[in-house]
Amino acid sequence: MAQAVRFYRTGSPEVLRWEEVEVGEPGPGQVRIRHEAVGLNFADTYFRSGLYPAPLPAGMGVEAAGVIEAVGAGVDGFRPGDRVTYTGSPLGAYSTERVMPAEHLIRLPAEIGFDTAAAMTMRGLTTAYLLRRIHPLRAGDTVLLHAAAGGVGLIFTQWAKLLGLTVIGTVSSEEKAEIARAHGCDHVVVYTREDVAARVRDLTDGAGVPVVYDSIGKTTFDTSLDSLSRRGLLVCFGTASGPIPPIDAMRLAVKGSLFVTRPALADYIADPVERAELAGELFSHVAAGRIRIEINQRYELPDAVGAHRDLESGRSIGSSVFAL
């Protein structure tokens, strides 16, 4: 029997259960995959808490890497033994094996390990669309990135340096500030003791930045707006502190004809061609060592409750995975 983490009601981490499940054989368009490593993402807590609704009971997790064991009818491009990774699929990645649609799979190069893939597929593809699709960034631009020592933050900063960008990053502690600097963050603002918007103005000669990347949401929204230059863009790609407040269009006009977008990774990897382009660029940087993927927390799948507690407490730094 396979094993998986499931939940029957929404709530605190304690609603997660580790139990035996029957996987079965793949149907048309499906594969059965044996997981080698599973990704742990803050978005997982949104499903568990009910912020992102899901039919119950449900599995947990949307990111993993492993080996295909069987393919169903009509599956083209994959066969048993292939190494693959995925993100954004139906819930159920917190498992030893599963049946899932083949359309979500991304072929994994031999140069990239399973644990690395599980630590970076969602974060890396998120970084890819943020830097390569959202705004026409140019070498020399300065951007503000919240949570610069987080899983996305550490990949984002390294990739931004490859593009010639200057990154101002925010973190909660000096320990995280050192980590952000080590990954290429040019200026680090410890938001627990500094006024972020004021510091951004100081660093940009009063102009502000053309783009702010904000995965925090509720508590950073005002600061993000106040850090933008005229006609600047606020990219709200996460809500770690809660949903962003309602947007007052006139306020955007008064603050400099600002723009706000709330993108989702799913809309940037829905097209298989675009997904392959973004994944190819990400994998090439990682395989060549231009972007380092560091796994700072490792858990066993039966300890999903503890992993979610660590994630929500802010103790986690960078990427986390479940090892199988």
Side-chain angles (χ1 to χ4, degrees), residues 28-92:
Q30 296 180 326
V31 302
R32 188 177 74 244
I33 179 173
R34 183 185 76 253
H35 289 150
E36 297 288 346
V38 174
L40 173 62
N41 298 286
F42 204 91
D44 299 344
T45 69
Y46 299 159
F47 289 103
R48 191 211 69 228
S49 69
L51 179 62
Y52 288 176
L56 299 177
M60 174 55 62
V62 295
E63 177 183 36
V67 177
I68 294 176
E69 294 197 316
V71 300
V75 173
D76 294 322
F78 294 103
R79 62 185 181 181
D82 283 350
R83 304 171 78 253
V84 294
T85 186
Y86 65 86
T87 186
S89 66
L91 291 173

Side-chain angles (χ1 to χ4, degrees), residues 224-239:
S224 294
L225 289 181
D226 290 341
S227 299
L228 285 167
S229 60
R230 181 177 287 114
R231 294 166 58 182
L233 171 65
L234 169 54
V235 183
C236 299
F237 69 100
T239 52

Side-chain angles (χ1 to χ4, degrees), residues 167-188:
V167 180
I168 303 172
T170 72
V171 297
S172 61
S173 66
E174 188 55 45
E175 177 191 7
K176 291 186 175 182
E178 292 177 6
I179 293 170
R181 291 188 190 99
H183 287 78
C185 199
D186 298 278
H187 308 282
V188 183

